[in-house]
Amino acid sequence: MSFAIHLSGFIGVYIFMLAAFAGWVIIGGVPAILHTPLMSGSNFVHGIVVVGGMFALINAGSLQEQTIGFFAVLLGAGNVAGGYTVTNRMLVMFQTSGKTQHHARPKHPKSV
Amino acid sequence: MTLPNLALLIIGTVDLLAAFLFMYGLKRMSSPVTAPSGIRVAGIGMLAAVLASFLYGLDVTGTARQFLMMNMGLCVLALVLGGGVAWLAGRSVPMTAMPQMVALYNGAGGGAAAAIAGTELLAGHAAGVTALVVTLVGAMIGCVSLSGSLIAWAKLQEVLKQPLRFIGQLYVNLLILLATVAVGAFLVYLSEGGTWNFLTVPDIIAIFFGCALLYGIAMTLPIGGADMPVVISIYNAATGLAVGLEGFVLGNPALMIAGMVVGAAGTLLTLLMARAMNRSVSNVIFTNFGGPTVKSHGHMKGSLKPAAAADAAIFMHYAKSVVIVPGYGLAAAQAQQKLYDFVKQLQSSGVDVKFAIHPVAGRMPGQMDVLLAEAGVPYDLIFQLDDINDQFATTDVALVIGANDVVNPAARTDKSSPIYGMPILDADKARHCYCVKRGQGKGYAGIMNALFFEPNTNMIYGDANAVLGEMIEAVKGLGKAAA
């Protein structure tokens, strides 16, 4: 059997629909306090485009394709590295005051 | 099993894992406690996916074969170069400049998606109308995201200071958009056997990209600086969508899933931001807000009552509860650290201090939270609009620093005000209110603030940094006198 992935239009639409729904639900649970790291973090996640760029560049058969493919990888790599660095920098800054109560976030109903 | 097939198996498995780790990582962002591990988890997924992608080299056919070693080398070079530059920039960028940095990275992602579409179009891989249309739409969105993000960067960096507006702009923009779509449709027509003798297909592809890039510029130029939180969110969603669409063309579900999840995230944040400004998304893009056309607003009852910083500090020192409303002016003065020093002083004398954050305090969603976290403010002292608004009525002092429109009660009462209906922080309901402000000017939206004229409001004029310095000294002096 071949492991090449072939997507027909409809399967693509199904994947898009489910991913959009999952994304909406996952992101909906992120508190407003983390919206900037969330944005740069999701920014980092779409850096996966670098993988597509690598595919395009490795399969480039002409100078034109090589040039454009090179830029795809270059920009994608920038997206990945930059997105990761700034998100990580921001997230380690969030500290609690060490108090026992964290009223900003909902806890288990039992403990309230 | 053949070697190329094995390579595809490994890549497929790793990409599946990466897609899972991305979603799991984002899921861990639902709490500040788990969030740092979340980004690391996503990072592992990304690293694995990038490394596995080198295996595509085992499955190369046709003319690309003779360039294989060169292409591999170019790949490594591009990864090191692009990654290295962005990593260095990301390490050194100050937190106040985060919105423009995110805009740049976002533009890079959109550009990468557009470039992938470019190679697919040139190589003629996008066979069939569906694949071609998807490639073109992805390319267009990617281009708009790239050039639009660059303009957003220029505005946030204040390279471009004034929004560029002219009469009939909306129609010009519409024309550019229609031209882009028309060129794209023509490309589909050509691929379906149509002929045209004036230009070659690569030339038309180039024109298509040019139009799309131009549209991104034209669309972003008239938008005012105050609306940048919405704009950045929109482009974040757009890039995600472009990545997802190119993922479909490449037959890579990991790209589709990651892109679509980001698209949903960006859309959600866009709507949240727009709601916090009480405006629709189309209203942000298509109308002139915060421009010179907004005329200075009506006559205010009451008067501005200046107070000395030291007196205010001592008043707060003896208060039971203080809620601080920081705005972008605080960050512009780089006074977050001083503010937290003052807060610690108040806390040590038994004052209950909280921070109230408006969703649009800052230039991107949640930026003020990050700036406070950077200064060391624990996040359990930071409250969002819905969580704290009811508490103002029982608060002794509301201290507004560098915020303006987000505390303007005209948004509740004055139907003629441009910000009418926008949710605001009810600082005016506190027993007393101090507003730290650089001068007697208007807010970002160019509107007079009714809060400043309230009977229980005092103004403290000066740079936030200097004012907080005086406050700290005043409370210190108090401690010395007592000892």
Side-chain angles (χ1 to χ4, degrees):
Chain A
M1 73 190 262
S2 162
F3 289 103
I5 297 172
H6 299 287
L7 290 169
S8 73
F10 262 119
I11 295 177
V13 175
Y14 274 100
I15 292 178
F16 279 143
M17 183 194 72
L18 291 172
F21 202 76
W24 187 270
V25 172
I26 292 171
I27 304 305
V30 177
I33 190 170
L34 288 179
H35 275 171
T36 293
L38 167 69
M39 186 170 280
S40 70
S42 62
N43 201 338
F44 162 72
V45 165
H46 70 51
I48 186 70
V49 71
V50 73
V51 165
M54 288 173 74
F55 175 82
L57 178 53
I58 289 172
N59 286 291
S62 68
L63 185 63
Q64 269 178 328
E65 287 171 53
Q66 281 177 316
T67 313
I68 303 174
F70 180 78
F71 276 104
V73 180
L74 189 78
L75 291 171
N79 186 174
V80 167
Y84 183 84
T85 318
V86 298
T87 310
N88 196 37
R89 262 183 74 196
M90 282 191 275
L91 285 175
V92 293
M93 286 178 195
F94 282 88
Q95 303 292 338
T96 167
S97 58
K99 286 178 194 164
T100 43
Q101 49 176 359
H102 296 277
H103 27 207
R105 290 169 298 122
K107 297 201 97 179
H108 300 293
K110 276 178 211 159
S111 64
V112 177
Chain B
M1 196 190 298
T2 59
L3 205 54
N5 207 23
L6 181 67
L8 290 179
L9 173 64
I10 296 172
I11 295 171
T13 314
V14 172
D15 282 359
L16 178 67
L17 183 76
F20 168 75
L21 290 177
F22 290 156
M23 293 214 272
Y24 180 64
L26 286 174
K27 174 75 190 140
R28 287 188 76 80
M29 288 224 178
S30 20
S31 150
V33 181
T34 54
S37 66
I39 185 71
R40 273 172 221 136
V41 163
I44 292 167
M46 188 70 77
L47 191 66
V50 169
L51 291 178
S53 294
F54 279 104
L55 294 176
Y56 279 127
L58 295 173
D59 187 33
V60 172
T61 50
T63 49
R65 225 181 173 119
Q66 65 204 48
F67 299 117
L68 185 60
M69 287 328 285
M70 184 186 176
N71 286 348
M72 284 293 197
L74 282 174
C75 232
V76 175
L77 182 68
L79 284 173
V80 171
L81 212 62
V85 170
W87 183 72
L88 283 176
R91 271 178 58 107
S92 56
V93 60
M95 286 298 146
T96 39
M98 200 49 77
Q100 44 275 50
M101 213 61 208
V102 170
L104 272 190
Y105 295 145
N106 193 34
I116 292 170
T119 60
E120 293 297 301
L121 289 170
L122 284 174
H125 287 318
V129 177
T130 316
L132 189 58
V133 169
V134 173
T135 312
L136 288 169
V137 172
M140 185 176 150
I141 299 173
C143 283
V144 170
S145 186
L146 170 64
S147 60
S149 293
L150 286 176
I151 299 294
W153 170 83
K155 278 171 185 284
L156 289 160
Q157 192 71 28
E158 291 180 5
V159 177
L160 287 175
K161 292 205 173 83
Q162 282 295 320
L164 181 97
R165 288 163 187 161
F166 52 84
I167 297 159
Q169 189 162 24
L170 206 56
Y171 299 101
V172 173
N173 290 1
L174 194 66
L175 210 66
I176 301 172
L177 179 65
L178 286 177
T180 316
V181 174
V183 177
F186 192 64
L187 279 169
V188 176
Y189 161 75
L190 287 181
S191 81
E192 288 298 290
T195 47
W196 202 44
N197 298 326
F198 294 103
L199 289 168
T200 60
V201 172
D203 287 337
I204 302 172
I205 293 173
I207 294 172
F208 175 74
F209 277 81
C211 286
L213 287 169
L214 188 65
Y215 181 68
I217 297 172
M219 181 181 130
T220 322
L221 273 176
I223 303 176
D227 289 336
M228 281 304 138
V230 178
V231 174
I232 299 181
S233 308
I234 290 175
Y235 287 136
N236 195 35
T239 302
L241 195 61
V243 171
L245 291 174
E246 295 315 324
F248 174 77
V249 178
L250 295 175
N252 188 329
L255 258 72
M256 295 170 69
I257 292 172
M260 218 54 202
V261 166
V262 177
T267 309
L268 190 76
L269 286 175
T270 306
L271 294 176
L272 279 179
M273 284 299 105
R275 198 182 307 153
M277 297 197 216
N278 190 37
R279 303 173 59 206
S280 69
V281 176
S282 67
N283 182 260
V284 170
I285 301 176
F286 298 122
T287 54
N288 303 347
F289 187 80
T293 47
V294 177
K295 61 175 189 285
S296 76
H297 206 68
H299 221 66
M300 292 289 165
K301 275 184 230 162
S303 60
L304 294 166
K305 298 163 289 298
D311 297 343
I314 290 164
F315 190 85
M316 281 186 267
H317 176 77
Y318 289 115
K320 267 208 198 72
S321 52
V322 172
V323 173
I324 298 172
V325 182
Y328 194 75
L330 178 76
Q334 291 288 347
Q336 305 94 294
Q337 195 65 56
K338 272 221 169 101
L339 176 63
Y340 187 45
D341 288 343
F342 177 60
V343 167
K344 279 190 278 194
Q345 272 188 333
L346 291 179
Q347 283 177 323
S348 65
S349 50
V351 185
D352 177 27
V353 187
K354 286 170 186 162
F355 289 85
I357 309 286
H358 192 277
V360 294
R363 303 231 165 132
M364 70 185 283
Q367 194 194 1
M368 191 49 68
D369 304 275
V370 172
L371 292 171
L372 290 177
E374 187 192 21
V377 177
Y379 59 77
D380 45 273
L381 295 185
I382 302 174
F383 292 81
Q384 307 299 321
L385 186 128
D386 291 335
D387 300 321
I388 198 154
N389 240 356
D390 297 337
Q391 297 182 32
F392 275 106
T394 54
T395 298
D396 288 338
V397 182
L399 175 64
V400 179
I401 303 185
N404 194 340
D405 299 323
V406 298
V407 288
N408 191 345
R412 275 200 313 259
T413 52
D414 182 1
K415 281 198 178 151
S416 67
S417 171
I419 59 166
Y420 178 72
M422 174 173 128
I424 57 153
L425 285 160
D426 297 334
D428 58 316
K429 289 188 178 162
R431 287 187 197 106
H432 203 92
C433 185
Y434 286 109
C435 297
V436 179
K437 210 168 172 309
R438 223 174 8 202
Q440 297 194 3
K442 292 162 194 159
Y444 218 32
I447 309 152
M448 262 310 197
N449 194 336
L451 171 69
F452 300 164
F453 297 87
E454 295 278 324
N456 58 343
T457 299
N458 282 113
M459 303 300 294
I460 305 169
Y461 291 115
D463 172 73
N465 227 332
V467 167
L468 285 163
E470 282 176 50
M471 287 185 168
I472 292 170
E473 285 310 312
V475 176
K476 251 191 209 154
L478 212 62
K480 271 184 204 144

